[in-house]
Amino acid sequence: MRRAVCPGSFDPVTNGHIDIVSRASNLFDEVVVAIGVNASKNRLFTAEERMEMLRESVAGFDNVTVDGFTGLLTTFCAERGIHAIVKGLRAVSDFDYELQMAQMNASLTDVETVFVPTSPEYSFLASSLVKEVATFGGDVSALVPAHVNERLRARVAERRAQGGS
Ligand code: PNS
């Protein structure tokens, strides 16, 4: 059984993420989309909300499941018998950091990182930019699934009502 993990923060999941997951699901027998729940970044959505959005987004893929992990990704891989990490590469600017992480992860456990080039239509897409555009009232409906767009609009409205940006 060839198993892979697609790790990320997914705050929130975008169409670019789904493209990478879809292609990983063609390459591997089983794919686990794993949400890193380490509290290192300023999140717009809780881990549970991110998980719900991901589950809805990948419901159409028979061999894809969603899970969360704390701590090291390599520990999660070792516990699950996963030997491949799939990462999307949008541009050369992604490469330096991703290569460093791939080499560090390979040094920690028996795991290979497989880089999948992002489809050109998503090469500019990042959750951080989606959040910024949505926060200032921009239209991100072409960049995220419809259910994620609804949640984004609701969260932005909530934050505004609370006096945030
Ligand atoms: O979507 P992101 O923010 O680029 O995802 C980054 C993530 C969660 C995949 C990465 O930070 C990660 O693997 N975190 C787990 C902690 C870990 O294993 N750190 C060592 C990396 S070499």
Side-chain angles (χ1 to χ4, degrees), residues 10 12-15 17-19 21-22 33 49-61 64 66 144-149 151:
F10 303 106
V13 58
T14 69
N15 291 343
H17 293 130
I18 297 167
D19 174 52
V21 171
S22 148
V33 183
E49 288 170 329
R50 286 181 276 147
M51 206 107 74
E52 284 167 9
M53 286 187 275
L54 261 172
R55 289 214 170 96
E56 195 165 344
S57 303
V58 303
F61 302 105
V64 177
V66 177
V144 297
H147 61 96
V148 174
N149 191 36
R151 288 220 196 202

Side-chain angles (χ1 to χ4, degrees), residues 23-53:
R23 287 157 63 199
S25 81
N26 289 329
L27 293 171
F28 292 90
D29 299 314
E30 278 181 20
V31 174
V32 181
V33 183
I35 301 184
V37 298
N38 294 346
S40 57
K41 279 190 193 169
N42 215 1
R43 307 289 184 206
L44 186 59
F45 294 101
T46 65
E48 195 47 50
E49 288 170 329
R50 286 181 276 147
M51 206 107 74
E52 284 167 9
M53 286 187 275

Side-chain angles (χ1 to χ4, degrees), residues 41-120:
K41 279 190 193 169
N42 215 1
R43 307 289 184 206
L44 186 59
F45 294 101
T46 65
E48 195 47 50
E49 288 170 329
R50 286 181 276 147
M51 206 107 74
E52 284 167 9
M53 286 187 275
L54 261 172
R55 289 214 170 96
E56 195 165 344
S57 303
V58 303
F61 302 105
D62 288 345
N63 62 343
V64 177
T65 54
V66 177
D67 207 344
F69 72 100
T70 51
L72 289 177
L73 177 60
T74 48
T75 305
F76 179 82
C77 290
E79 286 168 358
R80 299 302 197 87
I82 294 173
H83 299 284
I85 299 170
V86 176
K87 288 289 195 85
L89 280 186
R90 288 167 296 201
V92 174
S93 50
D94 281 344
F95 185 70
D96 282 350
Y97 183 52
E98 290 296 344
L99 178 66
Q100 197 180 13
M101 276 203 287
Q103 291 171 333
M104 174 62 88
N105 284 331
S107 79
L108 294 172
T109 191
D110 175 19
V111 70
E112 289 287 354
T113 297
V114 177
F115 292 125
V116 174
T118 295
S119 298

Side-chain angles (χ1 to χ4, degrees), residues 125-144:
L125 192 46
S127 297
S128 54
L129 288 182
V130 164
K131 283 186 282 191
E132 184 167 331
V133 171
T135 298
F136 292 112
D139 179 7
V140 294
S141 58
L143 309 177
V144 297

